[in-house]
Amino acid sequence: MSYIKRFFLFISDLLGFKKNSSYVKSYINDANVKSSIYMSFIVIVLELWMIIRNTNTYIIPGWAAAPNKFDLIYKLAGPYVLFLICATAVLVFAISYFKKKNYKGFFIANIVLSALCILYPLLLVKEKLDFNTEKTIVNSITTLLIYCSLPLLGAAILTNTLYKNKLNKNHTVLSMLVIILFATVCLLFGVKVGYSDFANPLYKGDSPNFDRLKMITCFLTMTIFVACLLIWKPYISIILLTSIFVIFLRLLKGYHGREFLEPDEINYITFLISITMVAISIYQQRVAEARKDEKLMYDAKYDRLVNLYNQDYLCELYEEKCHIDSSFYSKANFLFINLSQFRMINDQRGVDEGDKLLIKFSEVLKEVFTNDLIARQADDHFVVIIDNEAYLEKINQLNDKLKELVGNLFILLKVGVYKPQENESPYTAIDKARYACGIIKRKPEELYSIYGDNIDKEFKKKQYIINNLDEAIKNDWIQAYYQPVVWSVNKELCGAEALARWIDPEYGFLSPAEFIPLLEENRLIHKLDAAIIVYVCKKMREAMDNNRPVVPISINFSRLDFELMDVEKILEENITKYNIDKKLIHIEITESALSGNVSLMREKILSLKNKGYAIWLDDFGSGYSSLNVLKDFTFDVIKIDMTFLSNFETNEKTKDILDSIIQLANKLGVKTLTEGVETIEESEFLKDIGCQRLQGYLFGKPFKLDDFEEKIEKKQFIVSENIL
Ligand code: C2E
Ligand code: CA
Ligand code: CA
């Protein structure tokens, strides 16, 4: 952009020519309506005071002799009453503007006051409009103008009051009109009072160059009032103030009864400049505030990337709808939409392409669900609340459009549907729709899944697990079971693996498959693993105190543990507290845990190793980066995954592979353990190829600690002499 263009843009923004968003407009409008509350209140007090002062019968000259007292009062207090009515009407209007509910009192007051605004100018017939002398011309014109503005103001308030609910946008326009008319009346009033004072014949005799302009302050006050309390666009402030000052200056200079002195003129112009500057700076300040506020409001409600609602705002809107129509929930259906395999596009074509697709998909969502509430929940997840049962047709439509969008990419649409209960939180409803959606995640042929009774049972169980983890730890519903690890050469016990079990009073025995992945998903796994550390150390201390034999125990760790807690610190604390030899604790980390942030994991593992803990690589061979893992980390033992043994009998290659792995490990100076040994053939083969440790049902399943110890005591497990 050229400098000239930029300069013009800057100036046009400075002068307020830049178009404001509707949010900024209504922000400024609200600020103006609020200011008019203070303005009108002050005017009311002033006018009341003037009316009381002017109608004090003790000081009114000729009160007793006056033939028509009403006329006299009107003459003395008429303009103030007019202004009083105007200000009261504005005050009531402004207060009721901010009330969301329609209060009857406000309604009536608005009607009465707007009627007065319309009717009061009828008294104009009483006023003698005189266009003959310099002084009376100005007085008559301002009076006429004020009397014209007032009914318009009344009409605007009346329309607004009667049609408030139907107008919406015009509601703002009308309130702007009320404020503009109020400002007009104020300015005209200032001119009228200021001028009539200047031209007051009472001062004439004082001195030919009477140098006091007492009531000019009224004019100035009114302009400050209008220009600084209300916010105008800068160019309007400039036009408004300059024209009103020029008119007034011309009137003063044109009046022949008295001289308008040069210093007065200079003061006067200085004043104009100051007020204009203040008015502009107030505008700029307010607009900056409004824009900032708008941004915050936008972020609170919308997702910036795709320009859809965010989840919180969607929930708020749903609750609002239920509040207005308490049966809304019964019509509503929550759809949780997931683009399965979306990560592929990010991985293969980059995040920018991924974003583009999300934006396009959001457009499609808006097309298909025209009148429904749509939000982006996170990533490639969307939520739609549809207020009828015709969602299947729309889901199919969406699926067709998605296929057009993604072309040959393997991205699938998955939708979970949930019908909410009365008073159910929209967040829970979304969770349930999401849960239904998750069930078909790995079923390419299924497009949608509707949350039913069976899913409900499963969902409740999962919720229960998530919500009761702390309770379970506190009440020892969670314990470690111990599975023996033996030397391959003599099958003597050389250790055990601690495997978590949850024995629940309500659901009974829960296996790790039910809670470990769930706790990982919900980033709670560290609580469980910390509890297992405590359990293992505490039980080991008890055994040692009672002179029962102990063997090294391997404890399982998830990748997330290293993010969510200080593994090393917790281990050290318990080792110290229960006075346990570090050699008795092995740390098992699965291969998949080591992908991702390699340098961080390496640092943590190295530090644990330096502290004296043995690090065991779990599930070796189950992932696809095994060999890299061996290159990047140093392990004491690798645990060969049990999947290798699953077709030991039938697949000849298995033996070669196992043999090679053991040889590779030997080369690297790493010890080996094979998991899932179930037959004597497997056990013998593994011993022959040099795998040192074995674990599997052949030697024992995971046992409750008591049973495990009993087996040791009864010599069913022979503890090896060589356990460390
Ligand atoms: P894992 O660490 O690979 O544990 C071995 C699993 O294989 C155990 O299942 C064990 O019971 C089972 N298993 C042992 N020998 C045999 C066998 O000969 N044949 C067969 N078919 N299976 C055998 P479990 O106890 O259900 O644990 C499942 C997984 O849950 C564990 O796999 C581990 O990844 C995780 N896990 C268990 N306890 C914990 C824990 O305390 N913390 C963490 N983070 N994960 C745990
Ligand atoms: Ca393990
Ligand atoms: Ca394993």
Side-chain angles (χ1 to χ4, degrees), residues 475-510:
N475 298 329
D476 291 331
W477 299 342
I478 290 176
Q479 325 172 350
Y481 271 38
Y482 292 73
Q483 187 178 29
V485 175
V486 299
W487 291 120
S488 64
V489 284
N490 55 15
K491 315 294 179 297
E492 282 177 1
L493 192 67
C494 62
E497 177 175 6
L499 292 157
R501 300 288 180 265
W502 180 323
I503 297 128
D504 190 80
E506 199 178 323
Y507 284 98
F509 188 90
L510 298 173

Side-chain angles (χ1 to χ4, degrees), residues 497 499 556 588 618-619 639 675:
E497 177 175 6
L499 292 157
N556 288 284
E588 273 192 29
D618 201 0
D619 300 346
K639 292 185 80 170
E675 294 185 90

Side-chain angles (χ1 to χ4, degrees), residues 586-597:
H586 301 149
I587 291 168
E588 273 192 29
I589 302 172
T590 56
E591 191 188 273
S592 56
L594 302 170
S595 58
N597 193 345

